[in-house]
């Protein structure tokens, strides 16, 4: 050790925690800091959700549970009950059903991917509005982006993996 490093170790004293104890103390201090909600001037929280090729821009605000997708009601846009159920999952998990209005614009992909994108957007917007909901939604898996996308087509193949039909003659 050099003279400088010896001095810094001596300056800390015997009661200063070192090693893992010091790190545990730092981590506990950081966890106490409250997270501020991110709400705009209109009282809305915004988030972006993505799934496959679909991208959803989602705004939530206090209301009575109306969901508007691209200017249409959710019953019209997502006709299948399964897709509407996907949209309601974050609210039911967070026990906030019929407390927020959702306005979103969705583009790209198919209906299933769009529903998944809106669900992720709703979950992230709920966390932005009420940061205390993060552990509940995280445990339910609603804050994880599903990274699976369509595999690209390779040259020399009919599709991504399918080969051309083999013919002996």
């Amino acid at each position: 050790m050099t003279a400088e490093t010896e001095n810094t170790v001596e300056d800390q004293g015997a009661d200063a925690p070192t090693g893992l104890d010091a790190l545990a103390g730092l981590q506990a201090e950081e966890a106490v800091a409250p997270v501020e909600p991110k709400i705009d001037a209109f009282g809305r929280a915004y988030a972006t959700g993505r799934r496959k090729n679909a991208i959803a821009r989602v705004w939530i605000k206090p209301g009575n549970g109306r969901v508007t997708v691209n200017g249409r009601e959710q019953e019209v846009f997502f006709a299948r009950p399964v897709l509407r159920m996907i949209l309601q999952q974050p609210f039911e998990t967070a026990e906030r059903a019929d407390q927020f209005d959702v306005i979103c614009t969705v583009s790209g992909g198919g209906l299933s991917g769009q529903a998944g994108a809106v669900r992720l957007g709703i979950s992230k917007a709920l966390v932005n509005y009420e940061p205390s909901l993060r552990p509940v939604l995280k445990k339910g898996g609603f804050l994880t982006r599903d990274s699976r996308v369509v595999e690209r087509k390779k040259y020399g193949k009919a599709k991504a993996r399918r080969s051309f039909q083999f013919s002996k003659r």
Side-chain angles (χ1 to χ4, degrees):
M1 274 202 246
T2 64
E4 291 178 18
T5 55
E6 289 176 12
N7 291 341
T8 56
V9 172
E10 291 170 6
D11 292 342
Q12 290 178 355
D15 18 313
T18 58
L20 293 176
D21 296 333
L23 288 176
L26 288 174
Q27 192 175 25
E29 292 172 12
E30 291 174 8
V32 174
V35 180
E36 293 291 321
K38 298 175 186 169
I39 302 171
D40 65 5
F42 299 106
R44 303 175 303 185
Y46 170 78
T48 304
R50 293 184 177 90
R51 170 85 170 92
K52 294 186 177 179
N53 280 339
I55 299 172
R57 301 183 311 158
V58 179
W59 291 268
I60 65 166
K61 62 181 180 180
N64 55 6
R66 279 188 62 196
V67 178
T68 308
V69 183
N70 289 353
R72 295 187 283 183
E73 292 296 320
Q74 71 170 344
E75 289 80 15
V76 177
F77 195 87
F78 294 117
R80 285 187 273 165
V82 174
L83 299 178
R84 291 196 300 270
M85 180 199 68
I86 287 173
L87 298 187
Q88 296 302 320
Q89 285 176 337
F91 293 119
E92 292 167 1
T93 304
E95 297 174 358
R96 299 289 186 273
D98 299 331
Q99 293 182 17
F100 290 97
D101 287 345
V102 178
I103 298 111
C104 63
T105 59
V106 156
S107 63
L111 286 176
S112 176
Q114 288 180 346
V118 172
R119 181 178 86 165
L120 178 60
I122 289 171
S123 303
K124 288 165 79 174
L126 274 172
V127 170
N128 287 343
Y129 195 88
E130 257 185 272
S132 61
L133 295 177
R134 182 172 174 79
V136 176
L137 292 172
K138 184 82 173 161
K139 187 177 179 192
F142 297 114
L143 297 177
T144 305
R145 189 222 192 271
D146 190 351
S147 61
R148 294 176 296 171
V149 292
V150 177
E151 190 175 354
R152 76 172 190 86
K153 182 192 178 303
K154 280 79 170 186
Y155 61 89
K157 297 281 187 178
K159 292 168 57 174
R161 298 187 181 195
R162 188 186 182 328
S163 299
F164 294 110
Q165 184 173 350
F166 175 76
S167 173
K168 198 168 188 177
R169 298 179 224 292

